[in-house]
Amino acid sequence: QRLLVESGGGLVQAGDSLRLSCSAPNITFHDWRLAWFRLGPGKDRREREGVSCITRGGRTVYTDSVQGRFTISRDNTKNTFYLQMNSLNAADTALYLCAAQPTYRPDHCSVQTYDYMNWGQGTQVTVST
């Protein structure tokens, strides 16, 4: 049984919005740092790009290319976190993967793959021009 399950991907047009969800029904979410990564077309899994992360305390970090367009959030009561993506463009086309890791540090998160041991299978986002 997978620990993390993504949903919400799809085919959209440039300028459209999507909201991705990542649920984890079998863990206690509030003690975990959470993140979204993406893997562009034709790229190796080792080339996952960090998109955004959120700390236990709700502080957020974004990579420059999505700053101002994407918003990460978490709902600990539902063991789910989200990535709201607005003003999508072709460069956002990718397999989006969520990741989670327990942490004792309430104000730390990372968009580095090596900081996460728990991954979802991914949800595809395709933006047409």
Side-chain angles (χ1 to χ4, degrees):
Q1 187 175 8
R2 281 186 289 155
L3 187 66
L4 302 173
V5 180
E6 301 99 335
S7 61
L11 173 63
V12 297
Q13 294 185 333
D16 285 350
S17 299
L18 276 176
R19 188 176 82 155
L20 307 182
S21 299
C22 180
S23 64
N26 298 313
I27 64 174
T28 304
F29 229 38
H30 64 84
D31 289 335
W32 293 53
R33 60 175 178 261
L34 310 169
W36 287 97
F37 293 79
R38 63 187 180 185
L39 185 61
K43 292 192 175 180
D44 185 86
R45 191 171 180 83
R46 292 169 292 184
E47 298 175 85
R48 288 165 289 179
E49 174 195 7
V51 175
S52 180
C53 68
I54 186 167
T55 70
R56 285 174 49 184
R59 187 177 68 87
T60 58
V61 174
Y62 298 94
T63 192
D64 287 346
S65 62
V66 307
Q67 181 75 47
R69 299 189 298 122
F70 290 12
T71 302
I72 190 172
S73 61
R74 62 192 295 165
D75 186 340
N76 293 337
T77 64
K78 297 180 179 179
N79 276 6
T80 302
F81 68 110
Y82 307 95
L83 187 68
Q84 176 67 43
M85 306 186 296
N86 298 329
S87 301
L88 286 161
N89 58 61
D92 297 316
T93 293
L95 180 71
Y96 283 74
L97 304 114
C98 64
Q101 189 66 26
T103 179
Y104 293 106
R105 301 170 63 182
D107 199 39
H108 172 261
C109 72
S110 159
V111 289
Q112 300 297 325
T113 57
Y114 55 70
D115 273 340
Y116 298 88
M117 297 293 291
N118 304 284
W119 293 80
Q121 292 287 88
T123 185
Q124 180 67 37
V125 173
T126 302
V127 184
S128 65
T129 56

